[in-house]
Amino acid sequence: MSIKSGYFKKHLHVDLTRGNAERLDLSETFIKKYIGGRGFGAKLIWDNLRKHDFKIDPLGPDNLLVIAPGPLTGVYLPSSGKNSFVAISPATGLYGDSSMGGGFGVELRQAGIDAVSITGRAPELSVLLIENGETTILAMPGLKGKNCLEAEGLIKERLGTHAVHVATIGVGGENMVKFACVNTDWSRNAGRTGIGAIMGSKNLKAIVVRGDKDIPVYNVAGLVAENAIAFKYMREHKYFRMWQQEGLMNVIAYANEKGILPSYNFKDGVFAKHDQINGATMLSGYKIGDSACFSCPMCCGNICLVKNGKYAGTVVEGPEYESCAMLGSNLGIDNFAAVLSANRLCDELGIDTISTGGVIGAVIEGYERGILSLADLDGREITWGDEEAILGLIQKIARRQGIGNVLADGARGIIKRWPEMDKVILHVKGLEQSAYDSRSSLSMALAYATSDIGAHHTRAWTIAKEMEQGQNWSDDEKVDIVIYHQKVRPLFDMLGVCRLPWIELGLSERHYANFYKYVTGEEASLEELLERSNDIYNLTRLINVRLGTSRKDDSLPRKVWANPPLTGPTAGRIIKQDDFNRILSLYYQKRGWNEDGIPPASLERKFEDWAVPAWNEHR
């Protein structure tokens, strides 16, 4: 079946060095095979690597940055506000991507664009303006040093309108902090893998989009009927109201109960004062409103205000679970107002809350264990729960001041400067670990280890299922669920929708196959879409293998092997290396990769076509 609708079939390629842009046609073959979002991004990154013989400096002008919504982005269906940022990551040197919610991707679709790719480096700090598919590169050196929110306001003032969506970087991105993020709509971030640093390396302060085109839909009546079923299911779910009230903050209590809440740099899986930073505390003293991405009934965004004390006046959209855990319990902070202040500071400076909490936690433990000296800390002690020192360190990281200059290079930079820090910092492939302790979950450990972007939970979040199944869950079942998550989750990013209705409320994957059918007119089954999605996971593995990844990199932080949680229900548990090696081999076998984690050479033939044929001619 052919693609009848759902796309504009336009790819905008911008060269900041030359100061020009081309509107390129996307072929139907490309669209069907890669669908959109992460799929478009992975293929364009693969082609750009081939064009440069797989020699790319992540912070050099040749590193391609792809921004791509999916065919369902901006369409009226549950949680359809997603958009992918894709590039070679400066944190890992490997494939990287990050998904952003809000309304930026919707506006890009309304501008008549299915994907934007950006190469080169502008001669001075600039803003890329996209208006209904037409581009202008605006030199705006006066934005240097402005935080994300301030820059967004100044750009709108310069353009004389608020009827635009702006994705901007802060000081962290300008200084190429390797976990800098891209911010839009106040606090929606493409947070992971250092996408903000790539924009900084290109002298690109912001991307501004304005569009008023109708998004094409093949069968509106069919889509409306499918929507009615999906929205009704979500609205009547027993946890729907809880999600509207607390959003992801409800996970703090769950994670503490299960002993997987990162506390004191993952020294423990429980936090004695967890009830001072959980969803109930937020609701009783801080929350003043809800926020949501486009067309999302779950409204999981929390708007919080500190009303009293030294942080009075702090207002932020957040926190969600990851930010609260990594900037709260992981740093020994039991003051929710301080967590909000740290969250807002990260958003303003444009650095990722997960990685920021990870590297600061490692510094505190490193000092506690004598790995770091007072001189290493610029003469200022830092201990668990030291709010003032922690907020100061966040500033130093973003501005690359003192010890912050080392921390800004992330886990690998820290270990390169102080090799003994490898004992305390948790990362996989250079990406700092998300806020789920894997020492009690072999499937979660496998998910982190085999993730294409490093230790990030959104690639395969299996820990809750393993907790539910208990210790008698077989290796086959653990591997199968990791692979299934790695197969289905790319599909959400390719379509441009949020995974939460599926993973948290159990909305069937089959609704998404129907949404795709009604929007595009292509009669593809869920199984066919999942095969295309699985191809993308194989493609990102091929990218990483070509950049040097093998079995040695599919590993875990040293703390996971050697240091069990001290208290709580998971106390004493670690991942045993023999168990991990056994299940990793089984994973490779089921993937069809060899014992060193290398896919068969024949797999590359699936991706021989060129999305932009001219790139092949320029090799």
Side-chain angles (χ1 to χ4, degrees):
M1 290 287 291
S2 61
I3 300 288
K4 299 183 177 68
S5 186
Y7 296 89
F8 294 93
K9 299 185 178 180
K10 293 296 179 187
H11 163 206
L12 184 65
H13 181 64
V14 180
D15 187 329
L16 292 171
T17 301
R18 297 180 177 178
N20 61 19
E22 318 173 71
R23 277 162 57 97
L24 305 169
D25 293 331
L26 292 174
S27 71
E28 181 165 324
T29 301
F30 174 85
I31 288 170
K32 283 184 69 171
K33 195 169 178 180
Y34 302 104
I35 297 178
R38 196 202 301 188
F40 282 4
K43 175 56 175 164
L44 289 167
I45 294 301
W46 171 250
D47 285 358
N48 190 56
L49 285 167
R50 289 196 292 168
K51 179 181 173 184
H52 293 283
D53 296 323
F54 293 90
K55 295 173 183 172
I56 290 279
D57 173 2
L59 295 177
D62 292 335
N63 191 14
L64 194 72
L65 171 61
V66 179
I67 303 106
L72 303 189
T73 304
V75 177
Y76 178 58
L77 52 84
S79 313
S80 56
K82 285 289 190 174
N83 179 62
S84 290
F85 284 70
V86 188
I88 297 301
S89 164
T92 66
L94 304 172
Y95 171 84
D97 69 45
S98 194
S99 176
M100 173 191 278
F104 181 82
V106 177
E107 194 84 27
L108 193 58
R109 293 266 285 155
Q110 291 177 315
I113 298 296
D114 297 304
V116 179
S117 59
I118 302 171
T119 190
R121 185 174 194 273
E124 56 187 329
L125 198 62
S126 299
V127 170
L128 174 64
L129 173 63
I130 302 171
E131 293 180 285
N132 281 322
E134 301 298 323
T135 60
T136 309
I137 300 171
L138 302 169
M140 296 184 72
L143 294 177
K144 185 173 178 56
K146 304 299 182 187
N147 68 43
C148 294
L149 307 185
E150 186 180 9
E152 180 173 339
L154 289 171
I155 290 167
K156 288 178 176 176
E157 185 179 312
R158 161 83 177 264
L159 297 176
T161 179
H162 284 260
V164 294
H165 274 88
V166 181
T168 186
I169 60 171
V171 175
E174 289 181 32
N175 290 325
M176 290 179 269
V177 175
K178 291 188 177 177
F179 45 90
C181 56
V182 185
N183 180 284
T184 191
D185 294 350
W186 191 11
S187 292
R188 299 288 166 173
N189 291 291
R192 305 237 70 190
T193 73
I195 299 294
I198 295 168
M199 284 180 61
S201 75
K202 295 183 178 305
N203 254 340
L204 183 61
K205 181 69 176 181
I207 305 167
V208 183
V209 184
R210 177 160 53 194
D212 57 14
K213 297 178 185 294
D214 289 336
I215 295 174
V217 173
Y218 176 70
N219 182 345
V220 173
L223 182 65
V224 169
E226 190 74 25
N227 270 336
I229 298 170
F231 278 122
K232 182 174 186 293
Y233 170 85
M234 293 173 66
R235 191 170 58 248
E236 293 178 353
H237 194 281
K238 62 181 178 180
Y239 293 134
F240 180 69
R241 181 63 180 151
M242 179 191 74
W243 275 94
Q244 286 192 328
Q245 290 179 321
E246 295 190 34
L248 283 158
M249 279 296 292
N250 75 78
V251 183
I252 291 282
Y254 168 83
N256 191 73
E257 177 190 339
K258 297 298 183 183
I260 58 173
L261 179 68
S263 303
Y264 306 103
N265 194 38
F266 289 87
K267 288 201 297 184
D268 219 334
V270 294
F271 187 55
K273 296 183 179 179
H274 68 94
D275 58 348
Q276 294 180 200
I277 60 165
N278 65 10
T281 292
M282 176 189 71
L283 289 176
S284 64
Y286 298 92
K287 182 166 178 174
I288 59 171
D290 296 310
S291 67
C293 296
F294 179 83
S295 191
C296 183
M298 293 174 74
C299 302
C300 72
N302 302 304
I303 299 175
C304 289
L305 169 68
V306 182
K307 300 167 187 169
N308 304 299
K310 62 181 177 180
Y311 303 110
T314 298
V315 60
V316 64
E317 186 194 331
E320 43 74 56
Y321 168 71
E322 295 284 339
S323 298
C324 189
M326 295 305 291
L327 298 174
S329 55
N330 193 56
L331 304 181
I333 292 180
D334 56 19
N335 177 3
F336 193 69
V339 173
L340 294 178
S341 184
N343 191 160
R344 179 178 170 88
L345 191 55
C346 287
D347 287 349
E348 287 180 339
L349 297 169
I351 56 176
D352 178 40
T353 54
I354 296 175
S355 291
T356 299
V359 300
I360 293 178
V363 165
I364 298 174
E365 186 176 352
Y367 180 61
E368 184 181 66
R369 293 173 62 163
I371 299 172
L372 300 179
S373 68
L374 193 59
D376 291 326
L377 301 182
D378 305 327
R380 168 62 160 96
E381 272 195 335
I382 185 167
T383 55
W384 303 115
D386 186 344
E387 299 165 12
E388 184 180 337
I390 288 167
L391 293 172
L393 206 44
I394 292 173
Q395 290 274 11
K396 282 189 166 187
I397 290 170
R399 302 182 190 283
R400 285 189 173 272
Q401 296 171 340
I403 187 177
N405 190 41
V406 180
L407 306 189
D409 283 335
R412 284 186 169 162
I414 294 168
I415 293 168
K416 182 179 180 182
R417 173 65 179 81
W418 300 292
E420 286 290 293
M421 287 292 284
D422 190 36
K423 295 177 181 175
V424 298
I425 192 162
L426 286 88
H427 75 100
V428 172
K429 300 183 178 79
L431 188 74
E432 297 77 22
Q433 182 175 306
S434 298
Y436 296 96
D437 190 339
S438 67
R439 286 171 289 190
S440 60
S441 170
L442 189 55
S443 68
M444 195 68 223
L446 181 68
Y448 280 146
T450 59
S451 164
D452 50 355
I453 64 169
H456 192 41
H457 63 289
T458 63
R459 303 320 242 203
W461 187 73
T462 62
I463 194 166
K465 187 69 176 177
E466 186 165 342
M467 292 285 173
E468 176 188 319
Q469 292 294 325
Q471 295 299 304
N472 296 322
W473 214 20
S474 72
D475 282 357
D476 275 307
E477 290 169 306
K478 291 171 185 171
V479 170
D480 287 346
I481 194 172
V482 169
I483 291 177
Y484 183 69
H485 275 236
Q486 292 175 345
K487 179 186 289 189
V488 71
R489 284 170 173 255
L491 183 60
F492 292 111
D493 288 343
M494 294 160 76
L495 293 171
V497 296
C498 180
R499 70 191 182 282
L500 288 183
W502 164 71
I503 191 69
E504 301 296 350
L505 299 184
L507 184 66
S508 169
E509 300 93 315
R510 299 207 174 273
H511 285 294
Y512 294 93
N514 289 336
F515 293 147
Y516 177 80
K517 175 181 67 178
Y518 292 130
V519 170
T520 69
E522 190 201 358
E523 294 272 356
S525 67
L526 173 63
E527 288 70 25
E528 289 171 313
L529 294 176
L530 289 175
E531 281 309 305
R532 296 178 207 175
S533 176
N534 194 47
D535 282 346
I536 296 305
Y537 211 85
N538 278 324
L539 176 57
T540 57
R541 181 68 180 189
L542 283 173
I543 290 172
N544 288 348
V545 166
R546 284 299 201 107
L547 294 174
T549 293
S550 64
R551 184 180 186 116
K552 69 182 187 312
D553 303 292
D554 294 335
S555 190
L556 295 167
R558 287 179 63 175
K559 187 172 275 193
V560 177
W561 309 122
N563 303 107
L566 301 174
T567 60
T570 60
R573 295 183 64 178
I574 57 171
I575 298 294
K576 296 177 182 175
Q577 293 210 10
D578 287 348
D579 291 343
F580 179 77
N581 287 332
R582 182 187 69 248
I583 204 168
L584 181 61
S585 292
L586 181 60
Y587 170 89
Y588 289 157
Q589 179 188 333
K590 286 177 178 271
R591 275 278 183 201
W593 303 347
N594 71 17
E595 186 63 12
D596 203 29
I598 311 298
S602 60
L603 196 59
E604 284 200 15
R605 289 200 287 272
K606 276 192 168 186
F607 311 108
E608 284 179 341
D609 54 321
W610 286 81
V612 182
W615 290 2
N616 187 29
E617 296 163 10
H618 291 159
R619 295 177 74 197

